[in-house]
Amino acid sequence: MFLSILSALIEFAQEHPGIVIGRIAIALLLLSGAIAYRRLYRISKQAASENAELIDNLTEGVYRSSPDGQQLSANQALVKLNGYKTEAELLSSIKDMAKELYVNPERRAEFLEQLAKHDRVENFVSEVYRHKTRERIWISESARIVRDPKSGEAIRYEGSVREVTDSVHRREIEERFRKLTDMLPGGLFQLVRDQNGVFSAPYVSSGFCRTVGISETSQVDNPHSYFQNLHPEDRESYVKSLRDSGVNLETWNTEFRVVDKDGTERWLHVVAQPERTGETTTWHGYIADITIRKRQEIEIEEMAFVDPLTGLPNRRVLMDRIAQTLADCKRRNQYGAALYIDLDHFKELNDAHGHETGDIYLKQVANRLRETIRGADTVARIGGDEFVVLLRSIGNSGQFARNNALNIAQKMLAELREPYLLKKIAYKATASLGIVVFDGLHGDAEAILKQADQAMYDAKYGGRNSVGTAFVCMLEDKKDTDGDDLLTQELISAIRQRHLEFRFEPQMDNNGLLIGAEGFLCWEHPEHGAISADRIAPFAYKAGLATDLDLVAIETAIETLSIWQRSPDLKSIRLSVNAGTSILLDERTYGTIKSLMEQHRIRPGLLTIEITEQVQRSAREQIAGRMRELKALGIRFALDDFGSGYSSITYLRQLQFDEVKIEGAFVAGIDGDEENEALVKTILAMAKTLGISAVAEHVESESQEAFLRAYGCDVFQGCRYGTEMNRHEFAEFAASGQDRTVTQATA
C-alpha cells in the first residue's frame, strides 16, 4: 500500500511540479511517523502480553481492584489460592470481599484504613476463607494505591497475596512449646559437637537461661562459656562425664556446683541423651536447679555424723576415730582408752521435770566433758544418756595407761558431780563409768565399744552411788574374772540348749491396731533371775557366740510365728528381732532360715530382721546379696536406731530396707525440743520419699504420739502401748486389745 501511494504522488508531482512539492514532503513525514508508531504499538502489545504471562505464572497471587472493593483482575496463583480454576470464575463469584473473604470482616476495614493512611501496606497478615471451599487459611497481603497523576484521585488498588498458613501454625506450635517449657522448673537444650570438636547450642529454652543464669538474648556461640562459674572441685568430673557420654553414647547424667557472681553456690543436674549423625554428636537434654534437694541431703548426711541435741560427734564418727586410734597405737606402740559414761537416774529426772529439762542437763554434761579432754581426744554422744570419751596416746605401757585413764575418769566423774542449774532447778547427779584400755593389737572398734559398755555395766551394778564408780579392764587380757567366766560358760550352754525365750513389746499402727511386736531374748538364770538381751550380748561376744545368739533369736522368732499362725488373734501379727550384720556373712544363715521358713510354712512379710550394726563398705555387696536372698523368702529388714549415727541415706538405698526405726532418744526428745523435732520430721519425710515404713520406738506420751502421727509415722512402739511381756501376757494382750485406738492405748 505504501508503494502505491508513493507512485501516485510521483505522477501528481510530474503533472504539477510547482504546487505539490511542499505538500508531498509533509505527507511523507506524516507517513513515516505513522509507520514508526505502528512498530512501537506492536512492541508494546508484545511486552504487555509477556508481562501478563509473567504475572499469571507467579506463585504469589497478584490482583487489581477498584476503590469500592470490586476485584478487577487476578493472576492464576490468586485464582488457585481461592479454590477456582479461571479468573472469570473468581471475579464473578466474589461480591463483597470483607464479608466473603475475611474471617473477621473488621480486618478488611483495618487493611483499607492503613492503605488510605500510608498509600501502601506491607505484609498485612489476616485469617481468611479459601473462597470456594470455605477453608480457613492465613495470608500475608501487600498493596498500594494507584492514583490519577493529574487529580490525585485513587484509580485502583494493586497488590499481592501469599499464603502463610504453615508459618502461622508453626509459630503457634512454637509459642505453645515455649509456654510449656517456661512452666518447667528447669530448662531444655540441645548441645552439638561437630567433627572438629567445636560445641554449639542450636536451641536453649528460657528455662535453661534462668537456670544457668544468663539472659535470653545471649549469643549461643560457646556453650561452655556458660559454665565458667563451675565449682573448681567439680570441673574435672563435669568434663569427664560429658566426654564419656559422647564416646559411649550413654546418657549424660551429672550433678555439679556453680558459683554465681554474688558468691552463692548452687547445685545443677544435667541429664541428656546423645545422638550421633556421621561425625556430629547431639545431646538432647534437661537441666534443673537441685540446690534445695542437695542441701537437704547434705543436712541429713550431717545428721549421720553429729548428735543434733549436743552437737557432739555421734556413734558413726566415734567408730571411725576408734579405728584410727587403733592404727596409731599399733604404729607408735602406744595405748589408748575408751570411757563409756552412763548418767545415773536420768529417767527419774525426765519423769519428774520433763524432757526439756532433761535435754538441758544433757547439753551441760556435753559441755563439761568437752572441757575435760585434750584437743586430740573425742567425746561423743551415742545414746539417750550415754557418752563415750576416746583418749589417744595415754602411755606406752599397759599399767601406766590404765592409771592415766583412771585418773582422767575420776576427774570427769568429779566434774559431773558438780551441781547443775536447769532453768530454776538446782540438780546434782552422778554417773557410772567403764574404761577399756587397748594397744591396737587386739580387737576392733566394735569390740572396744562393747567391752567399754560391759565395763560400765559392771561399774553400775557394782554399786551406783553419789560418788559414782569406774571399772577398768584391758582389752588384750585373756582371762576373765571368775564370776564372768562362770556366767559366760553358763550362757554358752543356754544358747546351745535353746534355753532362751522372748519378751515381747507391742507395735501399733496409726489406727490403733496391734500389727506387730519386737521380740527380745531373755535368759532366766537360776540365781541371777531374768537377764536381758543387753546383758546377754556382751557375754556372747566374749565367748565368740554373737552370731550363734542372733541365729537363736531368728530361729526362736520363726518357731513363735509358727505357733501364732494357729491363733486367730496372732496369725497376722508381725515379729521383729534384732541381729548383728555378722549373721548375714555367716554361711549357715540362709540354709537354716530357708529350711525353717519352709518347714513351718511362715507367711511372707511376718518376720522382720532388725540390723543394728554398721556395715563396712567392703562387706556391703555381700550383705546386700544375702539380704536379697532372704527377702525372696518373704523376710523383711529394718534399720534399727536410725539417726544415732550408724547409717545414712546411701546405706538405706544400697541395702534396700523395708522400714527404718527412729532412735528412741530422739522420740523421747521431741516434746518441746526444736532440734529433735526437726530431726524426727526429716527422718519421717525421708522414709516417705524412699517408700519405706517408719517405726517410732520409746513412745511414752500422747503428745509424742500426736506429733509422730501428724508427720506420717506408720508404726508406734513403747511403754505407752505396753511394756515387755512374756508369751502368755502378749497372747492375752492381743486377744483383748484389737479394737483400741492409738490414743486410747494406755489411757
Side-chain angles (χ1 to χ4, degrees), residues 20-31:
V20 298
I21 291 177
R23 294 182 179 177
I24 292 174
I26 292 172
L28 289 173
L29 289 173
L30 291 173
L31 183 60

Side-chain angles (χ1 to χ4, degrees), residues 128-198:
V128 301
Y129 295 107
R130 202 181 301 279
H131 192 268
K132 184 173 183 178
T133 63
R134 308 311 291 167
E135 175 189 358
R136 292 167 73 153
I137 62 174
W138 289 85
I139 62 168
S140 176
E141 188 173 2
S142 299
R144 70 186 185 98
I145 297 177
V146 179
R147 296 185 181 276
D148 185 279
K150 291 182 179 181
S151 65
E153 293 293 326
I155 302 173
R156 61 179 180 274
Y157 303 148
E158 294 179 345
S160 62
V161 178
R162 58 188 176 90
E163 184 176 352
V164 293
T165 304
D166 290 344
S167 298
V168 171
H169 287 171
R170 184 167 58 251
R171 190 174 302 167
E172 289 175 347
I173 291 171
E174 290 174 353
E175 180 65 17
R176 286 197 296 269
F177 179 73
R178 185 191 65 78
K179 289 179 179 179
L180 287 172
T181 57
D182 281 349
M183 296 295 291
L184 292 174
L188 304 176
F189 67 90
Q190 281 184 320
L191 180 66
V192 176
R193 184 184 63 197
D194 65 19
Q195 63 270 23
N196 298 317
V198 177

Side-chain angles (χ1 to χ4, degrees), residues 419-435:
Y420 298 84
L421 183 61
L422 311 177
K423 291 186 176 180
K424 297 181 180 180
I425 302 169
Y427 181 70
K428 292 190 67 174
T430 60
S432 298
L433 189 150
I435 305 170

Side-chain angles (χ1 to χ4, degrees), residues 56 150 336 400 420 439 469 524 653:
D56 251 359
K150 291 182 179 181
F400 181 82
Y420 298 84
D439 59 2
T469 56
E524 288 292 337
R653 286 174 174 169

Side-chain angles (χ1 to χ4, degrees), residues 437-450:
V437 178
F438 53 84
D439 59 2
L441 300 175
H442 304 85
D444 56 14
E446 195 69 39
I448 288 171
L449 193 60
K450 286 187 175 181

Side-chain angles (χ1 to χ4, degrees), residues 448-705:
I448 288 171
L449 193 60
K450 286 187 175 181
Q451 191 81 349
D453 184 23
Q454 182 61 53
M456 182 274 296
Y457 273 105
D458 289 336
K460 186 180 289 290
Y461 288 107
R464 179 172 51 188
N465 54 43
S466 60
V467 177
T469 56
F471 183 89
V472 187
C473 65
M474 301 291 288
L475 187 69
E476 69 269 31
D477 286 348
K478 301 300 182 183
K479 185 177 180 180
D480 295 316
T481 63
D482 293 340
D484 284 352
D485 183 63
L486 177 60
L487 200 60
T488 300
Q489 293 302 318
E490 290 176 336
L491 177 61
I492 292 172
S493 176
I495 291 174
R496 290 175 177 170
Q497 296 178 28
R498 303 295 191 268
H499 287 169
L500 305 177
E501 61 182 49
F502 274 139
R503 293 293 180 93
F504 303 96
E505 188 170 290
Q507 295 177 333
M508 318 296 289
D509 69 8
N510 53 23
N511 292 316
L513 296 178
L514 176 68
I515 62 167
E518 182 172 358
F520 302 93
L521 280 179
C522 181
W523 178 22
E524 288 292 337
H525 192 276
E527 294 181 18
H528 301 288
I531 300 178
S532 66
D534 290 337
R535 291 283 290 155
I536 295 172
F539 289 100
Y541 184 86
K542 286 182 182 180
L545 295 175
T547 301
D548 297 77
L549 183 64
D550 289 338
L551 199 56
V552 167
I554 294 173
E555 291 174 4
T556 305
I558 294 174
E559 291 167 1
T560 300
L561 286 170
S562 176
I563 295 171
W564 285 2
Q565 286 182 152
R566 297 191 290 272
S567 167
D569 298 320
L570 296 169
K571 63 181 180 180
S572 298
I573 302 300
R574 296 198 304 244
L575 182 58
S576 301
V577 292
N578 284 282
T581 53
S582 60
I583 197 170
L584 300 178
L585 299 172
D586 194 296
E587 294 300 325
R588 299 171 296 170
T589 300
Y590 177 76
T592 300
I593 294 177
K594 182 175 185 293
S595 175
L596 287 171
M597 292 285 285
E598 293 174 349
Q599 175 186 340
H600 294 286
R601 298 181 180 179
I602 303 301
R603 285 167 45 203
L606 291 182
L607 176 61
T608 301
I609 298 177
E610 298 181 8
I611 302 300
T612 59
E613 296 176 358
Q614 183 183 13
V615 177
Q616 300 298 322
R617 291 185 181 275
S618 59
R620 281 192 186 177
E621 289 187 8
Q622 187 176 354
I623 294 291
R626 181 54 49 81
M627 286 176 65
R628 284 193 295 270
E629 291 176 348
L630 293 173
K631 283 167 76 74
L633 298 177
I635 294 175
R636 302 170 71 251
F637 283 89
L639 179 58
D640 199 12
D641 292 337
F642 187 81
S644 64
Y646 273 88
S647 8
S648 66
I649 291 179
T650 302
Y651 183 66
L652 285 171
R653 286 174 174 169
Q654 288 179 346
L655 298 184
Q656 299 179 357
F657 285 92
D658 300 286
E659 69 182 34
V660 59
K661 300 192 75 173
I662 305 171
E663 213 278 325
F666 299 128
V667 174
I670 61 177
D671 286 337
D673 187 291
E674 293 182 356
E675 292 180 350
N676 271 322
E677 288 179 357
L679 176 61
V680 173
K681 287 179 188 177
T682 301
I683 293 173
L684 291 172
M686 177 209 62
K688 184 176 182 181
T689 300
L690 295 178
I692 60 179
S693 298
V695 181
E697 297 181 294
H698 298 195
V699 181
E700 299 174 355
S701 67
E702 182 177 348
S703 61
Q704 292 170 356
E705 175 192 290

Side-chain angles (χ1 to χ4, degrees), residues 72-124:
L72 303 174
S73 67
N75 72 342
Q76 191 60 33
L78 187 59
V79 170
K80 184 178 180 181
L81 184 145
N82 280 282
Y84 294 103
K85 294 182 179 180
T86 66
E87 180 185 26
E89 187 181 7
L90 170 64
L91 297 179
S92 63
S93 300
I94 298 178
K95 305 301 182 184
D96 188 330
M97 293 180 64
K99 295 180 180 179
E100 298 175 17
L101 286 179
Y102 289 84
V103 173
N104 179 7
E106 294 180 2
R107 192 65 175 160
R108 177 64 178 174
E110 293 172 9
F111 173 76
L112 293 176
E113 181 182 347
Q114 290 193 27
L115 188 60
K117 185 176 181 180
H118 303 290
D119 270 14
R120 64 175 56 248
V121 177
E122 298 285 345
N123 297 319
F124 190 85

